[in-house]
Amino acid sequence: MRRLFRACLAAGLLAAAGVAAFAVAGPASADAEICEQYGTTTIGGRYVVMNNRWGTSAQQCINVTGSGFTITSQQGTGSTSGAPVSYPAVYFGCHYTKCSPGTNLPIRVSDISSATSRVSFNYVQGATYDAAFDIWLDPSPRTDGVNQQEIMIWFNRQGSIQPIGSVVGTTTIGGRSWEVWRGSNGANAVISYVAPAPITSWSFSVLDFIRDVQNRGAITNAWYLTSIQAGFEPWIGGAGLAVTDFAATVNGGGVPTSPPTTTSPPPASSACRVTYATNTWNTGLTANVTVTNTGSTALNGWALGFTLPSGQTITGSWNANLTGSSGAVTARNVAHNGTLAPNASTSFGFQATHTGNTAAPAAFTLNGTACARA
């Protein structure tokens, strides 16, 4: 799904993209194979690997390892004047409602003190593809749908393909030279950094690229980093392409380097009130949570943070996307309840197991602001 909208606009498949959904598997063991179109699994208890075939009906399979994946079969063929056929990748963060285990993303850019990653690729001959490292950002902390700004780092380009848009110059980031492309696929803006020669392995600062995009006026400190991804965009062939190693870490505690502009304001951190009601039995409970915006400014995207009492573990939820199942939990809006006008409320819920303690969380924060309890 990573490039659903870009490819769909190019290939006229937007209707199909609207109904696509991830197929979710359990944690991967060595040599786990995924052939489902949007199949996913987790590795290392920290990252998500996705097959993500959207530009062809032909089968694509990937072999998932504990540190990455290999494309084992790629039968689709795309036009080099159009979009690729897929984007198998491994990622940290949140992408189309699926968040990697324990991630602290989305996180506001101004709150980031460091964001680093390492990646290693295995390349093949005779195929048409790019090795792409993706960084996604949005003015709201959304975890569903397409984000507004995509940063692509092209580690390798094989065949007569090119990034979206046109060349706008060159730059040096991380001690390397890059050709910079800028454009839009109609659904999101894209800034691409193309390496002059293939890079097989690199440890670097993701934040350096985010700052460069910020300096170009594409985003502000008020935007949110939502995911960090590494994979391949194959057009023709691609069996044997592999991400052999991937890691990403984002630390908070940052200090803004420039004030937010008025063009892309963050979700307002207004006053809030939370009502929390439970229904309990033996070793289980359900919780219904109502969030009310008691401030004077509308919220366009919200994230409710709370800590579950010891012994409680969430097993399912509705009307919100939850990150974390025990201890610290963040509930984020879904598409239909992301806007809260002053005095407006929305509700979500979850089911959990417990070991005897059915107490409510001690406190709640909405977009970082402490909420009153009803």
Side-chain angles (χ1 to χ4, degrees):
M1 284 190 192
R2 166 250 190 223
R3 215 160 318 280
L4 281 175
F5 286 88
R6 175 171 120 188
C8 294
L9 290 169
L13 300 174
L14 189 56
V19 298
F22 281 121
V24 181
S29 58
D31 300 321
E33 186 178 57
I34 299 177
C35 296
E36 294 86 357
Q37 182 175 8
Y38 299 115
T40 69
T41 191
T42 59
I43 61 172
R46 182 173 171 83
Y47 308 110
V48 175
V49 175
M50 58 184 178
N51 193 25
N52 200 12
R53 170 179 57 82
W54 45 259
T56 177
S57 60
Q59 187 181 67
Q60 171 180 279
C61 295
I62 60 174
N63 188 67
V64 182
T65 68
S67 58
F69 68 90
T70 301
I71 301 176
T72 55
S73 68
Q74 171 51 261
Q75 301 170 21
T77 300
S79 169
T80 55
S81 61
V85 300
S86 64
Y87 182 63
V90 55
Y91 69 85
F92 174 76
C94 298
H95 185 72
Y96 278 86
T97 75
K98 184 168 182 62
C99 296
S100 58
T103 184
N104 59 341
L105 305 187
I107 183 172
R108 200 189 301 262
V109 171
S110 62
D111 294 334
I112 300 174
S113 61
S114 65
T116 58
S117 185
R118 72 170 189 267
V119 62
S120 295
F121 293 102
N122 181 69
Y123 301 133
V124 298
Q125 299 296 320
T128 300
Y129 64 91
D130 66 74
F133 191 100
D134 261 23
I135 306 163
W136 286 93
L137 301 110
D138 196 81
S140 68
R142 68 178 301 172
T143 59
D144 62 327
V146 66
N147 288 172
Q148 290 191 26
Q149 181 65 58
E150 177 185 11
I151 303 172
M152 290 190 70
I153 308 172
W154 284 38
F155 278 59
N156 190 4
R157 171 172 54 172
Q158 296 296 316
S160 57
I161 56 175
Q162 66 181 44
I164 285 174
S166 57
V167 177
V168 295
T170 59
T171 191
T172 300
I173 300 176
R176 296 178 180 270
S177 297
W178 306 92
E179 185 179 65
V180 184
W181 293 63
R182 190 165 183 173
S184 172
N185 60 32
N188 60 269
V190 186
I191 295 179
S192 302
Y193 299 84
V194 181
I199 302 171
T200 57
S201 183
W202 195 30
S203 295
F204 63 100
S205 170
V206 172
L207 190 56
D208 286 349
F209 287 91
I210 294 174
R211 293 303 186 203
D212 187 76
V213 169
Q214 184 179 357
N215 291 338
R216 295 174 188 273
I219 67 168
T220 74
N221 260 327
W223 283 48
Y224 289 81
L225 170 64
T226 62
S227 68
I228 298 170
Q229 311 176 353
F232 297 94
E233 289 186 316
W235 272 260
I236 303 170
L241 292 171
V243 174
T244 58
D245 181 51
F246 174 79
T249 301
V250 180
N251 294 312
V255 177
T257 57
S258 61
T261 70
T262 58
T263 56
S264 300
S269 296
S270 301
C272 49
R273 182 175 65 248
V274 172
T275 302
Y276 188 92
T278 59
N279 177 38
T280 65
W281 66 92
N282 294 336
T283 59
L285 64 85
T286 58
N288 187 70
V289 186
T290 300
V291 181
T292 302
N293 177 12
T294 59
S296 59
T297 305
L299 294 174
N300 296 310
W302 53 265
L304 186 75
F306 56 93
T307 300
L308 286 175
S310 177
Q312 296 184 18
T313 302
I314 294 173
T315 57
S317 62
W318 53 93
N319 290 335
N321 295 317
L322 270 59
T323 301
S325 58
S326 61
V329 176
T330 300
R332 297 179 175 88
N333 65 275
V334 291
H336 69 266
N337 63 2
T339 300
L340 281 180
N343 298 316
S345 300
T346 189
S347 296
F348 70 92
F350 60 84
Q351 183 169 332
T353 59
H354 67 83
T355 57
N357 184 358
T358 60
F364 297 86
T365 61
L366 187 66
N367 291 351
T369 297
C371 294
R373 291 286 300 276

